[in-house]
Amino acid sequence: MAAPMKTCKPFHKILSSFHKSKANKLILLRNYKSGELKKFFKNATIVQNQGWFEVNLDQRKLRTPSGNLFQVPSEPLALAIATEWNSQKDTIKRQSMHLTTLSNTVLDNPMHRTREDIIRGGLHFLETDTILYRTTEPPEFLELQRREWDPVMEWLRSSYQVELESTTSLMPPEIPNDTVNIISRKVNSLNDWALVGFQYGVENLKSIILMLGLTDKLLTVEKAVQLARLETVYQTKTWGNVEWHHDADIYQLQCLVAAAALFVHWCSNDMATTHKTTYSDQT
């Protein structure tokens, strides 16, 4: 007896499957670009391996967007990152995973930046620092700036023995070379991991002075964000708050700055295992 003939799937079903597969790929690509992905694991845990701390998603090792093994230098940071992953519900919202993002930046170095590039970028904010530029009108706002920002300026002068003055002009203030060198040495004392977190905080606060105050424990996250948004705070008190809008902006900025401060703390040399520098190896 002849073997039964194998039936072929009808062409229209093959075509339908192809379109579904293509559509799924497009959806996956769109979700990837938007920073969202369907959750594919049940539990995130950490494991120590040769002085580094890795994150496992179920039995799979977490990797960076470039495919590098995801590993961080301190246990508290690894635990916090695992918590970020465990906090995801049905959809992975990577835009809300700030510690994971900062770690990926260090491990992949997608912009191919050297330590000198990062330090130079941070020091650039010294010339454009939020709290150096004062608005003279209205007089009530000028007084608010003096009351809120001057104590931070005085702390910086006293703690770092630097000269720094504010300006009411549109021109950048004169920054003495000695001041630049002293602050540069302070920033350069951070290891590669902490340096990335510090720069992240500076960029979000638009102030290297406020970030120094935060990492030196002069300021809380809430206070640093308030000082960075002082003009918005004044305008809100004067003209009123747009329901939910201003609050959402405040909470978002607090999340970003808190992540930066925690990243610096957990990656500092007294918290992290000492490893070879990252940026010198990648450049």
Side-chain angles (χ1 to χ4, degrees):
M1 179 183 289
M5 183 180 295
K6 293 182 179 179
T7 58
C8 294
K9 184 184 291 186
F11 178 74
H12 72 277
K13 290 188 176 181
I14 295 176
L15 188 61
S16 176
S17 297
F18 170 78
H19 284 309
K20 287 181 180 178
S21 174
K22 188 175 182 180
N24 287 337
K25 288 180 180 178
L26 289 172
I27 292 171
L28 186 63
L29 179 61
R30 185 172 67 248
N31 288 341
Y32 180 84
K33 289 183 176 180
S34 68
E36 295 188 1
L37 188 68
K38 186 174 181 180
K39 188 174 181 179
F40 56 88
F41 65 96
K42 292 183 178 179
N43 191 35
T45 57
I46 71 168
V47 61
Q48 187 172 9
N49 183 12
Q50 297 181 348
W52 292 89
F53 295 87
E54 301 171 1
V55 176
N56 289 343
L57 305 179
D58 295 335
Q59 302 303 316
R60 287 175 286 191
K61 291 181 180 294
L62 180 61
R63 292 189 174 272
T64 70
S66 294
N68 293 314
L69 180 62
F70 188 95
Q71 50 186 7
V72 297
S74 78
E75 185 176 18
L77 177 59
L79 287 169
I81 290 169
T83 300
E84 280 188 334
W85 285 86
N86 283 325
S87 298
Q88 305 302 303
K89 304 301 181 184
D90 296 332
T91 302
I92 299 172
K93 300 181 182 296
R94 287 173 297 174
Q95 69 272 18
S96 68
M97 303 168 70
H98 308 306
L99 296 174
T100 300
T101 299
L102 283 168
S103 300
N104 284 333
T105 299
V106 180
L107 293 167
D108 286 349
N109 193 10
M111 302 301 292
H112 305 291
R113 296 187 300 176
T114 64
R115 281 185 61 87
E116 290 71 23
D117 292 335
I118 299 173
I119 293 170
R120 192 182 307 114
L123 290 175
H124 172 72
F125 279 86
L126 194 56
E127 293 183 350
T128 61
D129 200 286
T130 298
I131 73 172
L132 291 184
Y133 287 83
R134 308 297 172 89
T135 302
T136 57
E137 296 292 339
E140 295 83 0
F141 182 47
L142 178 60
E143 177 57 31
L144 178 64
Q145 293 171 93
R146 289 171 176 165
R147 189 167 65 249
E148 295 287 349
W149 286 345
D150 282 0
V152 181
M153 295 275 292
E154 187 55 42
W155 164 82
L156 186 76
R157 296 187 193 101
S158 175
S159 297
Y160 287 88
Q161 298 298 300
V162 296
E163 296 179 11
L164 200 60
E165 299 297 334
S166 61
T167 181
T168 57
S169 169
L170 293 178
M171 298 298 293
E174 286 288 333
I175 311 291
N177 288 334
D178 286 348
T179 297
V180 175
N181 292 335
I182 289 171
I183 294 179
S184 177
R185 285 197 297 270
K186 165 65 177 180
V187 177
N188 196 36
S189 69
L190 299 171
N191 63 41
D192 288 344
W193 284 75
L195 181 60
V196 168
F198 185 86
Q199 175 68 6
Y200 188 71
V202 171
E203 290 173 351
N204 280 287
L205 290 169
K206 296 180 175 55
S207 170
I208 191 172
I209 299 173
L210 292 177
M211 192 59 192
L212 285 169
L214 182 59
T215 54
D216 284 7
K217 299 182 173 62
L218 171 74
L219 304 171
T220 64
V221 169
E222 293 80 4
K223 187 63 177 178
V225 167
Q226 180 214 338
L227 294 177
R229 300 178 72 256
L230 196 61
E231 183 174 0
T232 303
V233 171
Y234 174 79
Q235 296 290 351
T236 298
K237 288 183 177 180
T238 303
W239 303 107
N241 189 22
V242 177
E243 189 173 4
W244 298 111
H245 175 71
H246 289 113
D247 289 342
D249 286 348
I250 292 171
Y251 296 142
Q252 173 65 8
L253 185 54
Q254 286 178 352
C255 286
L256 296 171
V257 174
L262 288 171
F263 199 83
V264 172
H265 177 63
W266 284 332
C267 293
S268 60
N269 291 329
D270 58 339
M271 292 288 292
T273 307
T274 301
H275 300 284
K276 289 178 67 178
T277 56
T278 303
Y279 287 98
S280 59
D281 293 341
Q282 295 185 13
T283 56

